[in-house]
Amino acid sequence: MALRIRLIERGASPEQTREIPVDKPEFVIGRAADCDLRLRVNEISRHHCILRAAGGEVTLFDLGSSNGSYVNNERVRSQATLHSGDVLRLGPCTFVVDLGDPEAVHLDVADVDPNAITLRRPKAPKT
């Protein structure tokens, strides 16, 4: 059975929660334009980490990021196997991992519309 992998970024309300489908066997997360998930935040390295799906499991590999990749508040020094319900933190960005497995724990996330658009307001200038 193929996993239906997604990262869920919780918002302040269910309308602000977004789902990021991980639809490739190797899914790169970082700040660079060539990343599969681009996070335009200074604390994110250009190529921060990679999610690799193989053999029925998903592994996170940190790519030598400056600020680190964390799974359940534990820094990943090289790699970590992910499970549904794990919390992935990259800089200020936090995601709940959902592997779509039937025996997964309840993720405490409202149903998400995968077609919804997340809009972020620009930060107010410092005065």
Side-chain angles (χ1 to χ4, degrees):
M1 175 180 93
L3 297 174
R4 182 180 166 259
I5 307 162
R6 63 184 180 149
L7 300 176
I8 301 167
E9 183 178 28
R10 292 182 176 146
S13 69
E15 295 81 25
Q16 294 175 327
T17 298
R18 74 173 175 155
E19 173 184 321
I20 299 105
V22 178
D23 52 3
K24 296 174 148 186
E26 293 194 348
F27 190 85
V28 180
I29 302 172
R31 200 175 68 235
D34 63 339
C35 291
D36 299 304
L37 175 57
R38 186 173 185 193
L39 301 172
R40 296 177 179 158
V41 180
N42 288 336
E43 292 90 341
I44 303 294
S45 296
R46 284 185 301 246
H47 295 102
H48 198 95
C49 65
I50 187 168
L51 301 180
R52 185 171 293 149
E57 67 180 31
V58 179
T59 306
L60 176 135
F61 294 87
D62 185 84
L63 298 174
S65 63
S66 300
N67 293 310
S69 302
Y70 293 81
V71 175
N72 300 325
N73 290 322
E74 295 287 328
R75 186 165 184 164
V76 176
R77 295 293 175 189
S78 61
Q79 66 185 45
T81 301
L82 298 178
H83 303 91
S84 286
D86 283 347
V87 177
L88 172 59
R89 183 169 51 85
L90 310 170
C93 305
T94 303
F95 305 93
V96 176
V97 176
D98 179 13
L99 302 181
D101 44 347
E103 38 308 307
V105 295
H106 179 64
L107 298 177
D108 193 30
V109 176
D111 286 334
V112 179
D113 177 2
N115 297 317
I117 298 173
T118 302
L119 299 176
R120 299 206 187 270
R121 293 183 181 171
K123 292 184 180 180
K126 294 181 182 178
T127 57

